[in-house]
Short mmCIF file of all heavy atoms in Angstrom, two decimals:
data_model
loop_
_atom_site.label_atom_id
_atom_site.label_comp_id
_atom_site.label_asym_id
_atom_site.label_seq_id
_atom_site.Cartn_x
_atom_site.Cartn_y
_atom_site.Cartn_z
N VAL B 521 10.39 -8.26 -45.57
CA VAL B 521 9.17 -7.79 -46.13
C VAL B 521 8.41 -7.03 -45.18
O VAL B 521 8.45 -7.21 -44.04
CB VAL B 521 8.36 -9.04 -46.71
CG1 VAL B 521 9.16 -9.70 -47.79
CG2 VAL B 521 8.03 -10.02 -45.69
N GLU B 522 7.50 -6.15 -45.78
CA GLU B 522 6.69 -5.31 -44.93
C GLU B 522 5.58 -6.13 -44.35
O GLU B 522 4.98 -6.94 -45.09
CB GLU B 522 6.16 -4.10 -45.72
CG GLU B 522 7.07 -3.10 -46.14
CD GLU B 522 6.69 -2.30 -47.30
OE1 GLU B 522 5.39 -2.12 -47.38
OE2 GLU B 522 7.46 -1.72 -48.00
N LEU B 523 5.39 -5.90 -43.14
CA LEU B 523 4.21 -6.61 -42.51
C LEU B 523 2.89 -6.12 -43.13
O LEU B 523 2.94 -4.90 -43.39
CB LEU B 523 4.24 -6.50 -40.88
CG LEU B 523 5.20 -7.44 -40.31
CD1 LEU B 523 5.55 -7.00 -38.89
CD2 LEU B 523 4.64 -8.92 -40.32
N PRO B 524 1.81 -6.77 -43.20
CA PRO B 524 1.63 -8.17 -42.74
C PRO B 524 2.12 -9.24 -43.67
O PRO B 524 1.72 -10.41 -43.46
CB PRO B 524 0.13 -8.17 -42.68
CG PRO B 524 -0.41 -7.39 -43.74
CD PRO B 524 0.68 -6.29 -43.98
N HIS B 525 2.92 -8.92 -44.75
CA HIS B 525 3.35 -9.95 -45.61
C HIS B 525 4.38 -10.87 -44.87
O HIS B 525 4.92 -10.49 -44.01
CB HIS B 525 3.95 -9.30 -46.88
CG HIS B 525 2.96 -8.51 -47.70
ND1 HIS B 525 1.99 -9.06 -48.41
CD2 HIS B 525 2.74 -7.19 -47.79
CE1 HIS B 525 1.19 -8.19 -48.98
NE2 HIS B 525 1.74 -6.98 -48.58
N GLY B 526 4.54 -11.94 -45.52
CA GLY B 526 5.68 -12.87 -45.15
C GLY B 526 5.16 -14.02 -44.27
O GLY B 526 6.03 -14.71 -43.72
N ALA B 527 3.91 -14.31 -44.21
CA ALA B 527 3.46 -15.48 -43.41
C ALA B 527 3.96 -16.69 -44.13
O ALA B 527 4.13 -16.66 -45.41
CB ALA B 527 1.92 -15.51 -43.34
N VAL B 528 4.29 -17.74 -43.39
CA VAL B 528 4.76 -18.99 -44.01
C VAL B 528 3.73 -19.45 -45.07
O VAL B 528 2.61 -19.55 -44.82
CB VAL B 528 4.98 -20.06 -42.88
CG1 VAL B 528 5.33 -21.44 -43.50
CG2 VAL B 528 6.12 -19.63 -41.94
N GLY B 529 4.24 -19.81 -46.22
CA GLY B 529 3.41 -20.23 -47.31
C GLY B 529 2.99 -19.25 -48.20
O GLY B 529 2.53 -19.60 -49.28
N GLU B 530 3.09 -18.01 -47.88
CA GLU B 530 2.73 -16.92 -48.75
C GLU B 530 3.47 -16.92 -50.12
O GLU B 530 4.69 -17.09 -50.11
CB GLU B 530 2.91 -15.50 -48.21
CG GLU B 530 2.25 -14.39 -49.02
CD GLU B 530 2.33 -13.02 -48.43
OE1 GLU B 530 2.99 -12.83 -47.37
OE2 GLU B 530 1.72 -12.04 -48.97
N GLU B 531 2.76 -16.74 -51.16
CA GLU B 531 3.38 -16.74 -52.54
C GLU B 531 3.76 -15.29 -52.90
O GLU B 531 2.86 -14.42 -52.81
CB GLU B 531 2.38 -17.20 -53.56
CG GLU B 531 1.96 -18.70 -53.32
CD GLU B 531 2.89 -19.74 -53.78
OE1 GLU B 531 3.92 -19.37 -54.58
OE2 GLU B 531 2.91 -20.92 -53.35
N LEU B 532 5.04 -15.17 -53.23
CA LEU B 532 5.52 -13.80 -53.59
C LEU B 532 6.25 -13.94 -54.87
O LEU B 532 6.47 -15.03 -55.42
CB LEU B 532 6.36 -13.23 -52.52
CG LEU B 532 5.68 -13.00 -51.10
CD1 LEU B 532 6.70 -12.83 -50.02
CD2 LEU B 532 4.73 -11.79 -51.20
N VAL B 533 6.74 -12.79 -55.36
CA VAL B 533 7.49 -12.86 -56.64
C VAL B 533 8.83 -12.07 -56.41
O VAL B 533 8.87 -10.96 -55.85
CB VAL B 533 6.74 -12.19 -57.78
CG1 VAL B 533 7.60 -12.12 -58.97
CG2 VAL B 533 5.54 -13.05 -58.16
N ALA B 534 9.89 -12.71 -56.85
CA ALA B 534 11.18 -12.09 -56.74
C ALA B 534 11.60 -11.51 -58.02
O ALA B 534 11.53 -12.24 -59.14
CB ALA B 534 12.32 -13.08 -56.28
N GLU B 535 11.89 -10.27 -58.14
CA GLU B 535 12.25 -9.62 -59.34
C GLU B 535 13.79 -9.61 -59.49
O GLU B 535 14.43 -8.96 -58.84
CB GLU B 535 11.77 -8.15 -59.35
CG GLU B 535 11.91 -7.44 -60.63
CD GLU B 535 11.31 -5.98 -60.64
OE1 GLU B 535 10.12 -5.80 -60.73
OE2 GLU B 535 12.18 -5.09 -60.31
N ILE B 536 14.24 -10.60 -60.36
CA ILE B 536 15.60 -10.88 -60.46
C ILE B 536 16.26 -10.34 -61.67
O ILE B 536 15.73 -10.50 -62.75
CB ILE B 536 15.95 -12.39 -60.37
CG1 ILE B 536 15.17 -13.05 -59.17
CG2 ILE B 536 17.37 -12.72 -60.41
CD1 ILE B 536 15.28 -14.62 -59.15
N TYR B 537 17.36 -9.57 -61.45
CA TYR B 537 18.12 -9.10 -62.62
C TYR B 537 19.40 -9.85 -62.71
O TYR B 537 20.02 -10.07 -61.72
CB TYR B 537 18.37 -7.54 -62.43
CG TYR B 537 17.09 -6.71 -62.51
CD1 TYR B 537 16.23 -6.55 -61.50
CD2 TYR B 537 16.83 -6.08 -63.77
CE1 TYR B 537 15.03 -5.85 -61.58
CE2 TYR B 537 15.68 -5.21 -63.84
CZ TYR B 537 14.82 -5.11 -62.73
OH TYR B 537 13.68 -4.41 -62.87
N TYR B 538 19.71 -10.27 -63.86
CA TYR B 538 21.03 -10.84 -64.04
C TYR B 538 21.63 -10.53 -65.38
O TYR B 538 20.84 -10.16 -66.31
CB TYR B 538 21.04 -12.37 -63.69
CG TYR B 538 20.29 -13.16 -64.77
CD1 TYR B 538 20.89 -13.74 -65.79
CD2 TYR B 538 18.93 -13.32 -64.63
CE1 TYR B 538 20.15 -14.55 -66.71
CE2 TYR B 538 18.15 -14.09 -65.51
CZ TYR B 538 18.92 -14.61 -66.58
OH TYR B 538 18.11 -15.31 -67.56
N GLN B 539 22.90 -10.71 -65.53
CA GLN B 539 23.58 -10.25 -66.74
C GLN B 539 24.34 -11.41 -67.40
O GLN B 539 25.03 -12.15 -66.65
CB GLN B 539 24.49 -9.13 -66.44
CG GLN B 539 25.06 -8.48 -67.64
CD GLN B 539 26.50 -7.91 -67.51
OE1 GLN B 539 27.33 -8.75 -67.11
NE2 GLN B 539 26.73 -6.70 -67.69
N ARG B 540 24.12 -11.64 -68.64
CA ARG B 540 24.98 -12.61 -69.35
C ARG B 540 25.46 -11.92 -70.57
O ARG B 540 24.86 -11.48 -71.51
CB ARG B 540 24.02 -13.75 -69.85
CG ARG B 540 23.57 -14.67 -68.80
CD ARG B 540 24.63 -15.58 -68.14
NE ARG B 540 24.15 -16.48 -67.04
CZ ARG B 540 24.01 -16.06 -65.82
NH1 ARG B 540 24.41 -15.00 -65.40
NH2 ARG B 540 23.53 -16.95 -64.98
N GLU B 541 26.87 -11.88 -70.55
CA GLU B 541 27.62 -11.26 -71.68
C GLU B 541 27.04 -9.81 -72.06
O GLU B 541 26.51 -9.63 -73.18
CB GLU B 541 27.65 -12.14 -72.86
CG GLU B 541 28.31 -13.47 -72.58
CD GLU B 541 28.39 -14.49 -73.64
OE1 GLU B 541 27.47 -14.45 -74.48
OE2 GLU B 541 29.32 -15.21 -73.79
N LEU B 542 27.03 -9.01 -71.07
CA LEU B 542 26.51 -7.58 -71.24
C LEU B 542 25.10 -7.46 -71.49
O LEU B 542 24.54 -6.38 -71.76
CB LEU B 542 27.25 -6.86 -72.38
CG LEU B 542 28.77 -6.70 -72.16
CD1 LEU B 542 29.38 -5.92 -73.32
CD2 LEU B 542 29.18 -6.10 -70.84
N HIS B 543 24.36 -8.58 -71.39
CA HIS B 543 22.89 -8.48 -71.72
C HIS B 543 22.17 -8.72 -70.40
O HIS B 543 22.26 -9.87 -69.76
CB HIS B 543 22.57 -9.65 -72.68
CG HIS B 543 20.96 -9.52 -72.99
ND1 HIS B 543 20.69 -8.71 -74.02
CD2 HIS B 543 20.06 -10.21 -72.59
CE1 HIS B 543 19.37 -8.86 -74.17
NE2 HIS B 543 18.92 -9.82 -73.28
N TRP B 544 21.43 -7.71 -69.90
CA TRP B 544 20.67 -7.76 -68.65
C TRP B 544 19.37 -8.33 -68.93
O TRP B 544 18.70 -8.11 -69.84
CB TRP B 544 20.49 -6.41 -67.98
CG TRP B 544 21.70 -6.02 -67.27
CD1 TRP B 544 22.82 -5.20 -67.75
CD2 TRP B 544 22.00 -6.38 -65.88
NE1 TRP B 544 23.63 -5.05 -66.74
CE2 TRP B 544 23.24 -5.71 -65.55
CE3 TRP B 544 21.44 -7.18 -64.95
CZ2 TRP B 544 23.75 -5.86 -64.31
CZ3 TRP B 544 21.93 -7.24 -63.78
CH2 TRP B 544 23.21 -6.63 -63.37
N THR B 545 18.96 -9.30 -68.03
CA THR B 545 17.66 -9.92 -68.11
C THR B 545 17.00 -9.83 -66.88
O THR B 545 17.64 -9.86 -65.82
CB THR B 545 17.92 -11.38 -68.56
OG1 THR B 545 18.70 -11.50 -69.58
CG2 THR B 545 16.59 -12.21 -68.80
N ARG B 546 15.68 -9.67 -66.92
CA ARG B 546 14.87 -9.67 -65.76
C ARG B 546 13.96 -10.91 -65.67
O ARG B 546 13.21 -11.27 -66.73
CB ARG B 546 13.93 -8.43 -65.69
CG ARG B 546 13.17 -8.30 -64.42
CD ARG B 546 12.35 -7.08 -64.48
NE ARG B 546 11.18 -7.17 -65.23
CZ ARG B 546 9.98 -6.68 -64.95
NH1 ARG B 546 9.80 -6.01 -63.74
NH2 ARG B 546 8.93 -6.88 -65.78
N VAL B 547 13.99 -11.59 -64.58
CA VAL B 547 13.03 -12.65 -64.53
C VAL B 547 12.04 -12.38 -63.21
O VAL B 547 12.61 -11.87 -62.25
CB VAL B 547 13.60 -14.11 -64.31
CG1 VAL B 547 14.35 -14.48 -65.57
CG2 VAL B 547 14.52 -14.17 -63.14
N LEU B 548 10.86 -12.74 -63.31
CA LEU B 548 9.88 -12.62 -62.26
C LEU B 548 9.82 -13.96 -61.70
O LEU B 548 9.00 -14.77 -62.22
CB LEU B 548 8.69 -11.95 -62.66
CG LEU B 548 8.73 -10.51 -63.07
CD1 LEU B 548 7.46 -9.92 -63.67
CD2 LEU B 548 9.15 -9.63 -61.90
N ALA B 549 10.49 -14.31 -60.72
CA ALA B 549 10.55 -15.65 -60.19
C ALA B 549 9.55 -15.86 -59.02
O ALA B 549 9.71 -15.24 -58.03
CB ALA B 549 11.85 -16.13 -59.77
N PRO B 550 8.58 -16.65 -59.17
CA PRO B 550 7.68 -16.99 -58.08
C PRO B 550 8.52 -17.53 -56.87
O PRO B 550 9.47 -18.27 -57.12
CB PRO B 550 6.78 -18.07 -58.61
CG PRO B 550 6.81 -17.91 -60.11
CD PRO B 550 8.17 -17.53 -60.34
N CYS B 551 8.09 -17.18 -55.70
CA CYS B 551 8.84 -17.76 -54.55
C CYS B 551 7.83 -17.85 -53.34
O CYS B 551 6.74 -17.21 -53.46
CB CYS B 551 9.94 -16.82 -54.09
SG CYS B 551 9.54 -15.10 -53.87
N ARG B 552 8.14 -18.66 -52.41
CA ARG B 552 7.26 -18.82 -51.32
C ARG B 552 7.99 -18.79 -49.98
O ARG B 552 9.16 -19.07 -49.94
CB ARG B 552 6.37 -20.08 -51.36
CG ARG B 552 7.05 -21.32 -51.29
CD ARG B 552 6.34 -22.37 -52.11
NE ARG B 552 6.20 -22.00 -53.51
CZ ARG B 552 7.26 -22.12 -54.33
NH1 ARG B 552 8.46 -22.46 -53.97
NH2 ARG B 552 7.14 -21.66 -55.61
N VAL B 553 7.41 -18.39 -48.99
CA VAL B 553 7.87 -18.18 -47.69
C VAL B 553 7.95 -19.58 -47.06
O VAL B 553 6.96 -20.27 -46.87
CB VAL B 553 7.14 -17.21 -46.74
CG1 VAL B 553 7.66 -17.15 -45.42
CG2 VAL B 553 6.99 -15.85 -47.44
#
Side-chain angles (χ1 to χ4, degrees):
Chain B
V521 297
E522 292 164 22
L523 282 162
H525 296 287
V528 171
E530 187 178 9
E531 298 281 344
L532 297 162
V533 170
E535 188 178 275
I536 306 172
Y537 289 79
Y538 68 95
Q539 194 215 50
R540 291 287 180 273
E541 297 179 331
L542 299 185
H543 184 84
W544 277 97
T545 306
R546 181 179 81 141
V547 295
L548 293 171
C551 53
R552 69 211 54 76
V553 178

